[in-house]
Amino acid sequence: MTFRQFAFNNVIRNKRLYAAYFLSSMFTVMVFFAFSLFAFHPELSGSGMNSYVKIGMITAAGIIYVFSFFFILYSMSSFLQSRKKEFGLLMIQGMSMRQIRSMVFLENMVIGFFATVSGILLGLVFAKGILLLAENVLVIENLPFYIPIQAILLTFVSFIVLFFFISLFVSYVLRSKKLIELIKGDQKSKGEPKANLFLTILAVALLAIGYGVALFVEGLTVIVVMIPVIIVVMIGTYLLFTQLSVYVIRWLKNKESFFWHKTNLLLFSDLSFRMKDNARTFFMVAMVSTVAFCAIGSLFGFESFLTSTLKNTSPYSIAYQTYEKAEEQADVALINEILKENNIEAKTEQALLRYNRIGQEYFLIAKQSDFNRFANLLGEEPIKVRDGEIFVVEFEGTDFGQTDELLDLKLKLNSGETLEPEEVIFSRALPATDSYFVVSDQDYESLPAPDNEMSYHVWNVTDGKEAVFEASEKMYIELPSHKLQARDYEVFQINQYYGAVLFIGLFIGIVFFVAAGSFLYFRLYMDVDGDKQKFKSISKMGLTDKELKQVLTRQTMILFFAPIIVALIHGAVALTALSHMFYHNLLTESVTVLSVFFAIQVIYFFIVRFFYTKQIEAAIH
């Protein structure tokens, strides 16, 4: 058997340990290939929206590549830690440190080569599905499949180079290891982990302060406090795993009624050691997962905010407004002609809206009859304004912050009478700019001459809605965008431009989350040999198979869900802060994103627990 065959067989024999590393690396390669597939797609080589998508895909591929470097480096470091004793035994058999470094280098290159090739092949298999998904998310009409020679070459060369340099770096690190350190491995006594009371209290205080500030600030203040809150929460999270968790475990161990109950003794006897040893991994997983949750939740929530706000502030299918009376008739005729050509039927209303200057600003003053005609078109209840009364109308669902100002103003009629607003009503009938006044028709005629007037026309489609988008597109070609507002077309534009960002953020977030799960897998299997010996000894004292499974399930559950639950809480607080910044409820979006990630983690937990338990049972029986 040659040295190269020995290194290759080593990978095959340790396939269980390398499985998560190989699969997550393969998935990362596949995602990088997917972004490259888009970046070199012939349909995205033009200008406009497609050029922005192409730039976004290239940038995303770069982010994935940089993250892959640190992910693979951490993964290899974990493997080396778990194989200290193996390296020591090989040195006793006569293998030099140089040969061990060469072996590690070859092993990593073998895994890297097959992960890269497998990732590219998997990307090719799902390429058409990914392109179809992109067509819907990016709202691009046609992304046909093509043979992505450039994407294949870029992905292959990039990741082979990546694995090469990481393999060199990792094998270089091994040179400082002494034989005695390798033989003893992790057998050195670490002493009972102890928590510093001050740092434990500080962990609680930092998290409480970070959460409190994030949850209670609103508006642009959220941006101001963002960086300080992130720093405080990160420090608090690190102390949570290194100090607070150890303190809580020691406190539980001191509760004899709890500690000596059934199998709690086995679970908690070395749990404090595990928490201390895994603190950095837990911290890293919590932070990486939080980034994934926040990235996808923020993008999903922001898109929801933009589209829901637009739909709310654009209650009519089509709206036209102009201050230029000379062009009004021709423009309105053009809109009606386009609607007729596309067999679209719509109810329409129009009014001349007047703006009077009061103090330093101009305010819309509408008469009751005009307001009621538009309200009827939306199905809103008509209002009754008596002579001498004045209503302040605030746009329903959107606070423009002008209502209080209007309540403090007074209107003077030509008759000398002064009107003071007393009541606020909510409606979407007239343009969503600011709050405005509504007076009776008689009082309207007594107002001073307007300082400005705007013609306002609206259409609410009743039949032929499937053709509205095409008709709206023609209108935007013929008319200036500042005069026209076609709700469905503008929602389409938001989805098209924002879809690229959401698509990229989704894949990057998934890569981060997969990496976080891999970190936990690595940590679990680093301890598998010690667990085999421990439970084999304990089983001789009468531990049943049922009790063994119970202990292993709880032990694995703590490892998998401790950092993820912390990340879910971080993510929920961050998304709540985002909703406060936009004054928009993101509860549905937040729950959806966090629930999906939690469900994925639960599935991953059951898979890993099954194989982990199977190995421990095989070692015992």
Side-chain angles (χ1 to χ4, degrees):
M1 183 171 61
T2 65
F3 186 77
R4 290 186 179 88
Q5 289 174 328
F6 178 74
F8 181 80
N9 290 334
N10 246 357
V11 175
I12 301 301
R13 284 194 296 268
N14 288 294
K15 57 182 177 293
R16 183 196 72 249
L17 180 62
Y18 283 120
Y21 172 47
F22 173 79
L23 292 174
S24 51
S25 296
M26 182 181 68
F27 179 76
T28 303
V29 172
M30 189 192 75
V31 174
F32 180 91
F33 174 74
F35 286 130
S36 302
L37 180 74
F38 291 116
F40 293 109
H41 199 289
E43 294 297 322
L44 300 180
S45 59
S47 59
M49 170 60 192
N50 289 350
S51 65
Y52 289 115
V53 172
K54 182 173 183 176
I55 293 171
M57 295 300 174
I58 294 173
T59 304
I63 294 172
I64 294 297
Y65 190 73
V66 172
F67 178 76
S68 299
F69 176 83
F70 294 103
F71 165 67
I72 295 170
L73 185 62
Y74 176 86
S75 303
M76 284 308 300
S77 300
S78 298
F79 293 144
L80 295 181
Q81 289 293 324
S82 64
R83 298 176 65 192
K84 284 181 180 180
K85 185 177 292 185
E86 176 190 338
F87 295 151
L89 292 173
L90 289 173
M91 289 181 70
I92 292 176
Q93 297 297 322
M95 183 177 283
S96 67
M97 182 55 73
R98 181 179 178 180
Q99 288 176 314
I100 289 178
R101 292 202 300 270
S102 298
M103 182 186 70
V104 171
F105 175 83
L106 289 173
E107 286 179 4
N108 198 42
M109 287 304 299
V110 167
I111 295 171
F113 175 80
F114 284 106
T116 302
V117 172
S118 301
I120 293 173
L121 291 176
L122 197 64
L124 286 171
V125 170
F126 292 104
K128 185 57 182 176
I130 294 173
L131 290 171
L132 288 173
L133 174 66
E135 285 181 11
N136 292 294
V137 177
L138 302 178
V139 200
I140 296 175
E141 290 185 4
N142 186 27
L143 284 176
F145 177 77
Y146 74 109
I147 304 301
I149 301 298
Q150 290 174 294
I152 292 173
L153 291 175
L154 176 65
T155 305
F156 182 80
V157 173
S158 298
F159 276 89
I160 290 298
V161 170
L162 180 73
F163 280 105
F164 176 78
F165 280 106
I166 288 179
S167 301
L168 276 180
F169 178 78
V170 171
S171 60
Y172 176 81
V173 171
L174 278 174
R175 67 186 298 177
S176 62
K177 300 296 182 182
K178 296 180 181 179
L179 177 60
I180 188 67
E181 293 178 2
L182 297 173
I183 292 295
K184 288 188 175 181
D186 294 327
Q187 294 179 7
K188 296 179 181 179
S189 176
K190 304 172 186 176
E192 176 72 12
K194 294 182 180 180
N196 184 294
L197 183 59
F198 171 75
L199 293 178
T200 301
I201 296 172
L202 183 62
V204 176
L206 289 175
L207 290 174
I209 292 170
Y211 287 168
V213 173
L215 292 173
F216 288 104
V217 297
E218 294 184 350
L220 295 178
T221 311
V222 174
I223 299 176
V224 175
V225 303
M226 182 181 297
I227 300 300
V229 166
I230 290 174
I231 293 173
V232 166
V233 171
M234 285 182 66
I235 297 172
T237 303
Y238 184 76
L239 294 177
L240 166 68
F241 291 121
T242 58
Q243 303 294 327
L244 181 59
S245 62
V246 175
Y247 181 85
V248 172
I249 292 169
R250 284 179 62 88
W251 179 78
L252 290 173
K253 288 170 71 174
N254 290 330
K255 297 287 183 181
E256 293 187 5
S257 58
F258 175 83
F259 185 62
W260 292 96
H261 181 70
K262 295 185 177 179
T263 57
N264 286 350
L265 171 65
L266 295 179
L267 177 64
F268 286 91
S269 60
D270 66 343
L271 187 58
S272 55
F273 290 99
R274 286 179 177 271
M275 294 302 293
K276 197 80 170 182
D277 290 342
N278 296 336
R280 290 183 181 179
T281 301
F282 286 173
F283 171 73
M284 188 181 299
V285 170
M287 291 297 102
V288 169
S289 300
T290 300
V291 170
F293 300 158
C294 292
I296 297 178
S298 298
L299 292 172
F300 185 34
F302 191 56
E303 183 190 35
S304 171
F305 165 72
L306 291 177
T307 54
S308 63
T309 300
L310 177 61
K311 289 177 182 178
N312 180 64
T313 56
S314 306
Y316 304 104
S317 303
I318 300 167
Y320 170 86
Q321 59 187 33
T322 183
Y323 293 97
E324 301 166 5
K325 303 294 178 60
E327 302 174 1
E328 176 187 355
Q329 187 173 354
D331 290 347
V332 171
L334 176 64
I335 293 172
N336 286 324
E337 182 182 348
I338 292 174
L339 291 175
K340 186 176 180 181
E341 287 175 355
N342 288 272
N343 299 316
I344 297 173
E345 296 181 6
K347 293 182 178 179
T348 182
E349 286 291 351
Q350 68 87 25
L352 190 63
L353 303 179
R354 63 188 296 169
Y355 291 82
N356 285 50
R357 182 169 181 171
I358 306 174
Q360 300 298 318
E361 297 185 51
Y362 293 90
F363 297 94
L364 169 63
I365 305 175
K367 60 181 176 181
Q368 174 188 291
S369 57
D370 284 344
F371 177 89
N372 284 338
R373 283 191 294 110
F374 283 85
N376 181 63
L377 194 60
L378 293 179
E380 294 182 356
E381 292 292 328
I383 62 171
K384 175 65 176 176
V385 185
R386 294 189 294 270
D387 295 338
E389 282 187 335
I390 180 171
F391 287 178
V392 174
V393 182
E394 182 175 313
F395 200 85
E396 186 175 10
T398 304
D399 181 12
F400 292 99
Q402 203 186 31
T403 300
D404 292 339
E405 183 181 353
L406 266 68
L407 288 171
D408 294 331
L409 297 177
K410 298 178 181 179
L411 289 183
K412 290 186 179 180
L413 304 180
N414 290 330
S415 61
E417 185 180 358
T418 300
L419 305 182
E420 295 185 19
E422 296 180 357
E423 186 174 349
V424 178
I425 61 174
F426 297 88
S427 172
R428 301 164 67 215
L430 293 179
T433 51
D434 291 306
S435 300
Y436 55 92
F437 293 120
V438 176
V439 298
S440 67
D441 287 15
Q442 182 174 332
D443 288 341
Y444 186 82
E445 300 300 327
S446 299
L447 288 170
D451 295 287
N452 214 342
E453 289 184 319
M454 180 184 76
S455 292
Y456 186 58
H457 297 254
V458 299
W459 293 260
N460 247 7
V461 174
T462 57
D463 190 28
K465 292 183 179 180
E466 62 280 354
V468 171
F469 174 79
E470 184 178 347
S472 301
E473 193 172 21
K474 292 179 183 177
M475 293 177 194
Y476 274 104
I477 294 173
E478 299 291 337
L479 298 173
S481 59
H482 69 274
K483 292 183 178 181
L484 186 67
Q485 186 178 55
R487 180 183 58 208
D488 294 337
Y489 183 77
E490 293 191 4
V491 169
F492 164 80
Q493 286 186 312
I494 289 177
N495 290 335
Q496 186 181 44
Y497 281 92
Y498 200 74
V501 180
L502 183 62
F503 185 77
I504 292 167
L506 178 66
F507 272 95
I508 293 177
I510 291 174
V511 168
F512 276 37
F513 189 67
V514 168
S518 299
F519 293 155
L520 294 175
Y521 181 91
F522 301 151
R523 283 304 310 178
L524 181 66
Y525 275 93
M526 280 178 64
D527 300 327
V528 68
D529 291 331
D531 286 345
K532 286 179 179 178
Q533 295 178 6
K534 181 180 71 174
F535 286 108
K536 188 174 183 178
S537 301
I538 297 174
S539 64
K540 296 176 181 178
M541 301 171 62
L543 184 71
T544 65
D545 288 345
K546 181 179 179 181
E547 290 172 331
L548 173 66
K549 290 181 179 180
Q550 187 180 63
V551 173
L552 290 175
T553 298
R554 291 179 180 179
Q555 182 175 292
T556 311
M557 187 179 295
I558 291 172
L559 176 71
F560 266 76
F561 290 104
I564 294 300
I565 289 174
V566 171
L568 288 171
I569 296 172
H570 286 353
V573 172
L575 294 175
T576 302
L578 183 69
S579 68
H580 290 168
M581 182 170 71
F582 294 115
Y583 298 102
H584 179 75
N585 190 346
L586 297 177
L587 178 63
T588 302
E589 292 79 5
S590 301
V591 170
T592 300
V593 171
L594 297 178
S595 298
V596 168
F597 275 113
F598 184 74
I600 293 172
Q601 187 71 5
V602 169
I603 295 171
Y604 189 34
F605 161 74
F606 279 112
I607 294 173
V608 172
R609 188 204 64 165
F610 172 78
F611 289 105
Y612 186 72
T613 305
K614 193 175 180 180
Q615 285 190 63
I616 302 296
E617 289 178 335
I620 293 175
H621 299 296

